[in-house]
């Protein structure tokens, strides 16, 4: 069998298997000259916005640049027989109302819940003849405490209290995710009626304050402090702290030792599946199946979705109001409103005529922090990884830990910080943080019998390399080889199991998926780019200075992850504005 990356390597830009290419433009409506609303981009947020608007009676068309819908929530068959969730790979944060409102199960959505959900194997020296320790966490609190007690009995006792503390904060913030932030522009400059309306949006903030009560100062620290400072107040064992700290840096060019990383930790605790708070799972058929279910819900009510239709620019009337879009082929499509699920940078700096936007607004958008640490590697293997800390079953069938997010190089929070510092010097991490997931352990439809697809979410890799180096094929493969060497240390034989791989560095993620800087959140989930200030202050309510143009992607409140909240919230704002036109 081929060594890691030396076998059936496929180019990043390879086309998916024909079975995964959906002819949306043929199957989902003919192009008309006019619609009530146009949505730029068929990422999951754009599809959610279209589905809600269409249900509200707003005739909506979606235009997608790529040959396949879903944005970063997509399934692609890069290597024949192996179906990859090529970018996003796990589901938890999608808002519960969206499941029910859009009837996603009726439209084919099937989920595989993971329990246990987190596995951190140790690399331990001096354990000849002994199985290295590991930390396995799931929904059974007693079993979690037993696992944690291997490292600290004190931490085992503290863990339920920590979970309750963080869940209370997530519960308090939860209502803020489902409503537009307070419209500060209307509050400051609007009419008396607009000011009164903007005050009504304070309700979720007041609810949050009531839930947190006297503990508000402690919770404020979680939102502003380094994640390590928060975790140090609860725990003493590094394997537990480092495992939890991975959620504070995932997708973010930050370290758990940097202020504000505590919020990212919280952001990834806000989800749930099938009524189970905090649960994460795999989508049957890959993440593209979620996008297909949302699209099916939208088109069932009359929405039109077009692939390989690139929007070239937003059209503006002489009176300063959006009047549609121009496609790359020169076609003009009129509409009353335009919603963009593309990034703020693409929306406002590339697609919108600059003369219709204030200079200060354009400057703020151009200054957004879009740094990304992520290189996503999709790997096809002919057998499951065999971890020293949890040896495989004799027949090679998946074991409970194979369904988890498997954290490698995560025994100590200092390892995460050192990996971050490498990237700050313009270097891919010498010992990268790796989140390894094997969705085919629960969904065998993704790979041929006995084979598996593996998602490697690796950090930290800078967008711009030091010494003027470029992310060419040599540098891509050097990083992927380093990652495979790390996995080999935990699971000997891994490199020999690889039959192909797909490497997406930050520039690749930008080029393929339109993620600025390769940032999975469109712009950093830093405190200065959240809520009132997402994407920029005074323009956080999905509207922008150009009338009729709205932002509905991850660059809008409440931010990134496969949540759908930005699409849903923006659709309701647009509907209210259309009624008042």
């Amino acid at each position: 069998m081929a060594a890691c990356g030396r076998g059936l390597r496929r180019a990043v830009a390879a086309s998916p298997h024909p079975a995964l290419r959906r002819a949306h433009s043929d199957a989902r409506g003919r192009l008309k000259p006019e619609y009530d609303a146009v949505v730029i981009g068929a990422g999951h947020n754009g599809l959610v916005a279209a589905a809600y608007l269409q249900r509200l009676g707003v005739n909506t068309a979606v235009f997608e640049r790529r040959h396949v819908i879903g944005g970063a929530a997509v399934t692609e068959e890069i290597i024949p027989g192996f179906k990859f969730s090529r970018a996003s790979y796990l589901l938890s944060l999608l808002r519960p109302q969206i499941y029910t409102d859009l009837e996603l199960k009726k439209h084919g959505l099937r989920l595989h819940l993971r329990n246990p959900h987190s596995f951190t194997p140790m690399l331990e020296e001096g354990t000849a003849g002994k199985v290295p320790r590991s930390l396995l966490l799931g929904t059974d609190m007693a079993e979690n405490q037993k696992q944690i007690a291997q490292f600290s009995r004190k931490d085992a006792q503290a863990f339920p209290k920590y979970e309750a503390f963080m869940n209370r904060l997530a519960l308090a913030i939860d209502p803020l995710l489902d409503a537009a932030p307070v419209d500060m522009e209307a509050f400051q400059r609007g009419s008396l009626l607009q000011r009164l309306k903007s005050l009504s949006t304070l309700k979720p903030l007041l609810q949050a304050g009531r839930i947190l009560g006297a503990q508000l100062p402690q919770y404020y620290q979680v939102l502003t402090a380094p994640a390590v400072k928060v975790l140090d107040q609860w725990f003493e064992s590094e394997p537990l702290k480092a495992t939890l700290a991975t959620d504070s840096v995932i997708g973010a060019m930050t370290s758990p030792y940097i202020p504000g990383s505590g919020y990212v930790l919280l952001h990834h605790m806000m989800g749930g599946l099938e009524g189970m708070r905090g649960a994460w799972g795999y989508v049957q058929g890959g993440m593209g199946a979620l996008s297909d279910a949302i699209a099916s819900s939208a088109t069932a009510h009359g929405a039109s979705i077009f692939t390989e239709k690139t929007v070239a620019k937003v059209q503006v009337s002489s009176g300063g109001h959006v009047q549609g879009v121009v496609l790359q082929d020169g076609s003009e499509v009129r509409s009353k409103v335009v919603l963009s699920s593309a990034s703020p940078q693409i929306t406002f700096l590339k697609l919108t005529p600059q003369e219709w936007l204030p200079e200060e607004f354009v400057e703020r958008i151009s200054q957004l922090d879009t740094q990304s640490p992520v290189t996503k590697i999709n790997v096809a293997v002919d057998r499951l990884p065999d971890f020293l800390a949890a040896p495989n079953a004799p027949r090679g069938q998946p074991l409970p830990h194979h369904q988890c997010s498997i954290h490698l190089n995560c025994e100590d929070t200092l390892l995460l910080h050192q990996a971050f510092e490498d990237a700050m010097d313009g270097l891919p991490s010498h010992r990268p943080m790796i989140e390894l997931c094997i969705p085919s352990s629960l969904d065998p439809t993704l790979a041929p019998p006995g084979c598996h697809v593996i998602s490697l979410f690796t950090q930290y890799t800078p967008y711009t390399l030091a010494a003027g180096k470029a992310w060419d094929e040599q540098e891509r493969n050097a990083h992927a080889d380093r990652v495979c060497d790390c996995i080999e240390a935990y699971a000997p034989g891994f490199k020999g199991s690889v039959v192909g791989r797909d490497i997406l560095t930050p520039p690749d993620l930008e080029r393929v998926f339109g993620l600025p800087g390769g940032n999975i959140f469109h712009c950093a989930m830093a405190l200065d780019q959240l809520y009132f200030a997402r994407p920029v202050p005074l323009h956080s309510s999905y509207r922008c200075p150009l009338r009729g143009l709205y932002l509905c992607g991850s660059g809008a409140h409440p931010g990134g992850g496969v949540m759908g909240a930005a699409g849903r919230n923006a659709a309701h704002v647009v509907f209210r504005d259309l009624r008042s036109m």
Side-chain angles (χ1 to χ4, degrees):
M1 192 51 59
C4 184
R6 299 290 183 254
L8 304 176
R9 185 177 296 152
R10 293 294 182 269
V12 171
S15 294
H17 189 275
L20 290 173
R21 292 181 64 117
R22 303 292 180 92
H24 295 282
S25 54
D26 294 332
R28 303 187 178 187
R30 284 186 179 177
L31 182 61
K32 300 174 186 175
E34 186 168 358
Y35 297 86
D36 294 331
V38 160
V39 177
I40 301 172
H44 82 280
N45 272 307
L47 294 171
V48 166
Y52 273 96
L53 285 172
Q54 195 68 45
R55 282 170 174 264
L56 291 166
V58 180
N59 190 21
T60 304
V62 183
F63 296 105
E64 168 57 39
R65 170 180 61 92
R66 298 191 71 211
H67 58 269
V68 61
I69 65 166
V74 67
T75 303
E76 295 190 67
E77 192 166 331
I78 304 300
I79 297 163
F82 294 85
K83 300 171 187 175
F84 295 103
S85 292
R86 199 175 178 199
S88 62
Y89 54 99
L90 283 170
L91 188 65
S92 173
L93 301 177
L94 190 70
R95 304 304 296 154
Q97 308 93 311
I98 293 173
Y99 288 100
T100 51
D101 291 348
L102 303 187
E103 302 176 290
L104 296 186
K105 283 192 174 181
K106 172 184 168 183
H107 290 280
L109 181 64
R110 300 291 179 268
L111 304 177
H112 295 280
L113 271 68
R114 307 186 310 166
N115 185 34
H117 54 72
S118 173
F119 176 62
T120 307
M122 305 289 114
L123 277 184
E124 295 182 313
E125 297 178 4
T127 57
K130 292 183 180 179
V131 174
R133 291 178 298 172
S134 62
L135 179 62
L136 188 69
L137 301 175
T139 58
D140 185 329
M141 184 56 74
E143 187 58 33
N144 289 342
Q145 289 180 285
K146 183 179 175 182
Q147 287 280 320
I148 295 167
Q150 298 176 89
F151 306 96
S152 167
R153 292 184 180 276
K154 177 185 172 187
D155 288 359
Q157 293 300 312
F159 190 65
K161 298 172 187 173
Y162 166 80
E163 287 275 285
F165 177 84
M166 293 298 284
N167 283 334
R168 187 177 180 189
L169 179 54
L171 186 68
I173 289 180
D174 197 68
L176 298 178
L177 306 181
D178 297 317
V182 178
D183 189 341
M184 296 304 295
E185 185 175 39
F187 185 71
Q188 290 182 13
R189 304 169 186 169
S191 65
L192 179 61
L193 180 60
Q194 287 173 322
R195 291 184 185 188
L196 290 173
K197 283 182 178 179
S198 69
L199 281 175
S200 68
T201 58
L202 286 170
K203 186 178 178 182
L205 278 174
L206 298 174
Q207 285 179 328
R210 279 199 299 269
I211 292 172
L212 299 179
Q215 285 188 295
L216 185 59
Q218 293 98 304
Y219 285 117
Y220 176 77
Q221 186 181 61
V222 172
L223 299 178
T224 58
V228 164
K229 182 177 181 180
V230 175
L231 293 169
D232 280 346
Q233 292 174 353
W234 290 93
F235 307 117
E236 61 185 10
S237 61
E238 279 300 321
L240 176 60
K241 288 192 290 184
T243 296
L244 297 174
T246 59
D247 274 345
S248 74
V249 298
I250 197 82
M253 186 60 91
T254 189
S255 157
Y257 286 82
I258 289 179
S261 54
Y263 175 77
V264 184
L265 172 69
L266 175 70
H267 184 78
H268 287 96
M269 294 182 68
M270 291 179 183
L273 290 175
E274 308 282 340
M276 293 178 60
R277 176 167 285 279
W280 288 76
Y282 299 120
V283 178
Q284 175 89 17
M287 292 296 285
L290 168 65
S291 299
D292 280 339
I294 300 170
S296 176
S297 177
T299 55
H301 285 78
S304 298
I305 301 173
F306 302 93
T307 53
E308 298 181 291
K309 291 285 187 185
T310 302
V311 172
K313 74 171 184 177
V314 174
Q315 279 197 303
V316 186
S317 71
S318 59
H321 194 286
V322 160
Q323 61 180 17
V325 297
V326 179
L327 304 182
Q328 200 168 60
D329 63 10
S331 304
E332 295 186 9
V333 182
R334 296 188 300 277
S335 64
K336 298 172 184 174
V337 293
V338 172
L339 297 83
S340 177
S341 67
S343 69
Q345 296 87 337
I346 290 174
T347 302
F348 300 121
L349 304 183
K350 293 185 177 180
L351 299 182
T352 307
Q354 298 297 280
E355 62 269 23
W356 293 106
L357 296 174
E359 282 186 27
E360 183 183 0
F361 177 81
V362 170
E363 187 176 353
R364 280 183 176 271
I365 294 294
S366 66
Q367 292 172 349
L368 288 173
D369 177 7
T370 60
Q371 291 184 93
S372 167
V374 174
T375 288
K376 175 77 188 297
I377 307 173
N378 299 300
V379 183
V381 297
D382 63 9
R383 58 187 178 272
L384 284 167
D386 190 4
F387 292 96
L388 293 172
N392 281 2
R395 295 183 181 179
Q397 68 269 32
L399 295 173
H401 67 277
H402 285 122
Q403 67 185 263
C404 295
S405 289
I406 300 171
H407 305 288
L408 306 180
N409 293 335
C410 296
E411 293 92 335
D412 191 301
T413 54
L414 276 176
L415 283 176
L416 307 184
H417 184 65
Q418 289 162 1
F420 165 75
E421 287 191 319
D422 287 342
M424 288 293 95
D425 292 334
L427 303 171
S429 302
H430 292 97
R431 192 172 169 187
M433 183 185 100
I434 303 167
E435 182 169 292
L436 184 156
C437 291
I438 315 171
S440 51
S441 63
L442 292 178
D443 180 6
T445 69
L446 298 174
C451 297
H452 289 274
V453 294
I454 293 181
S455 164
L456 302 175
F457 201 78
T458 73
Q459 296 180 214
Y460 295 75
T461 50
Y463 184 93
T464 303
L465 295 172
K469 291 183 178 179
W471 275 113
D472 55 19
E473 198 67 15
Q474 182 179 345
E475 290 295 335
R476 281 194 194 95
N477 286 319
H479 174 69
D481 288 343
R482 189 180 303 112
V483 169
C484 288
D485 287 340
C486 288
I487 300 171
E488 184 80 11
Y490 290 90
F494 173 78
K495 294 201 299 187
S497 72
V498 174
V499 297
R501 68 190 189 189
D502 169 44
I503 307 163
L504 294 163
T505 64
D508 296 322
L509 291 167
E510 181 176 66
R511 174 177 54 82
V512 176
F513 299 106
L515 302 174
N519 194 298
I520 62 171
F521 305 124
H522 286 190
C523 51
M525 298 287 289
L527 291 176
D528 64 333
Q529 293 182 173
L530 290 174
Y531 199 59
F532 296 119
R534 193 167 189 89
V536 296
L538 297 184
H539 298 289
S540 59
S541 61
Y542 310 102
R543 303 177 183 91
C544 79
L546 177 58
R547 287 180 297 156
L549 179 60
Y550 302 79
L551 195 66
C552 68
S554 293
H557 171 76
V562 184
M563 300 182 81
R568 178 179 179 271
N569 295 350
H572 288 304
V573 168
V574 169
F575 182 66
R576 287 197 295 271
D577 288 355
L578 283 172
R579 283 195 305 178
S580 65
M581 278 184 183

